[in-house]
Amino acid sequence: MTQPEVSPNVQSDGSGVLAGQIALVTGASSGIGRAIAIGLAQAGADVVVNYVANEDEASEVVRVVEAIGRRGLAVRADVGQEAQVQEMFGRTDDVFGRLDILVNNAGLQRDASFTDMTLADWDTVLRVNLTGQFLCSREAMRRFKTQERRPQVSRAAGKIICVSSVHEKIAWAGHANYAASKGGVLMMMQSLAQEAAPFGIRVNSIAPGAIRTPINREAWETDEAYAELMKLVPYGRIGEPEDIAAAAVWLASDASDYVVATTLFVDGGMTNYPAFAHGG
Ligand code: BGC
């Protein structure tokens, strides 16, 4: 049997690895999603910038994508609402004609102690963080399975990247809804990956640790909070959104073509039991 050649889009300097590909990033108007959208554009992809509330921020991300020389499109949709998700993917079909990469990034927190947590707090987090990833992945899968394959552009028929969290693994008191949603993302990702791989579709997760974004401002804004946070991060610095974007570009590219059903932790060692550095 002849070995398939490495596709020409694997460049040693990493540039243009996503040339000719269409990506959709949910929750891309700020934070990690914004950095991923820009990172994918820098790697050569055209990008659908999904947002739910802040149109101005989303338009700004589209402007950055266009300044890089790629096409960008801001599309409003609540990822937890089936009809809105279907409309967003329909819009992507109309404008770009296909989809190669989905990044399930949209996510939120509604923190409360267990006994104070309302059903609304629970439902909102599960709906956006887990159901949202299901709805978007389902739409992407339907397209990846039926659209024309382009082996000269990417070896895979499609790539899905789920943005999970270290809390798919680390229990988090006061955040049971959030941790449960991310634990759900782990099993959804792995089950979907099993189903998708025979179709040449790769599904993986990135699990960010503490990244400097609005979602966890309280954890890094003051010197005291930052010092507390660093007790949990052996590498000694907070993560930046660009740390996650770099991982997303790699997982979307053929450089990771043999990587399937994996969670890539990008956390400065947060999941490496820092409390056990001494003692135990
Ligand atoms: C959460 C952040 C938190 C980080 C590390 C993330 O998934 O959204 O609020 O700082 O995990 O605990």
Side-chain angles (χ1 to χ4, degrees):
M1 222 174 95
T2 54
Q3 294 295 312
E5 284 179 21
V6 172
S7 81
N9 72 4
V10 179
Q11 309 288 331
S12 55
D13 67 354
S15 68
V17 289
L18 303 179
Q21 300 193 49
I22 312 299
L24 189 157
V25 183
T26 67
S29 58
S30 70
I32 290 174
R34 177 184 199 276
I36 290 176
I38 294 168
L40 296 180
Q42 283 166 338
D46 296 326
V47 187
V48 179
V49 175
N50 160 256
Y51 69 100
V52 67
N54 201 325
E55 190 175 357
D56 290 348
E57 281 184 0
S59 304
E60 215 277 307
V61 176
V62 167
R63 274 196 292 279
V64 176
V65 166
E66 289 172 346
I68 293 165
R70 306 313 326 155
R71 292 180 294 168
L73 176 73
V75 182
R76 205 201 85 79
D78 178 340
V79 294
Q81 302 291 344
E82 187 174 34
Q84 293 184 32
V85 168
Q86 287 173 340
E87 236 172 78
M88 170 170 70
F89 278 78
R91 192 80 206 292
T92 304
D93 297 338
D94 293 345
V95 175
F96 293 112
R98 63 177 293 121
L99 184 71
D100 302 284
I101 301 157
L102 166 68
V103 183
N104 279 318
N105 168 76
L108 45 75
Q109 292 182 209
R110 293 285 182 272
D111 309 330
S113 74
F114 205 87
T115 41
D116 288 339
M117 190 174 286
T118 64
L119 180 58
D121 292 334
W122 176 267
D123 280 343
T124 302
V125 171
L126 270 290
R127 189 176 57 76
V128 173
N129 295 13
L130 183 55
T131 306
Q133 295 212 12
F134 158 67
L135 289 172
C136 292
S137 299
R138 194 182 59 175
E139 290 308 307
M141 281 292 295
R142 287 173 173 164
R143 285 157 179 80
F144 293 164
K145 283 169 83 169
T146 53
Q147 72 192 2
E148 185 204 343
R149 285 188 74 163
R150 302 181 303 168
Q152 73 289 0
V153 175
S154 174
R155 292 181 77 172
K159 283 94 41 163
I160 296 177
I161 299 167
C162 299
V163 178
S164 178
S165 164
V166 291
H167 299 295
E168 73 169 37
K169 179 168 165 173
I170 302 178
W172 207 13
H175 308 74
N177 48 359
Y178 185 83
S181 74
K182 296 302 186 179
V185 166
L186 168 64
M187 273 297 122
M188 187 204 72
M189 180 278 285
Q190 291 184 352
S191 303
L192 171 57
Q194 225 174 44
E195 201 170 316
F199 296 94
I201 299 163
R202 297 194 296 114
V203 185
N204 292 286
S205 285
I206 298 172
I211 309 298
R212 193 196 309 271
T213 73
I215 207 173
N216 60 357
R217 187 177 294 281
E218 274 174 26
W220 50 262
E221 208 166 32
T222 65
D223 289 348
E224 299 71 40
Y226 191 84
E228 258 322 288
L229 182 63
M230 285 308 107
K231 292 181 187 164
L232 302 173
V233 186
Y235 198 56
R237 71 164 172 89
I238 192 167
E240 303 296 341
E242 291 70 25
D243 289 309
I244 307 304
V249 168
W250 182 74
L251 275 179
S253 78
D254 279 7
S256 65
D257 188 58
Y258 210 49
V259 179
V260 168
T262 290
T263 299
L264 176 55
F265 285 86
V266 183
D267 67 355
M270 187 177 248
T271 44
N272 196 27
Y273 300 100
F276 277 75
H278 309 285

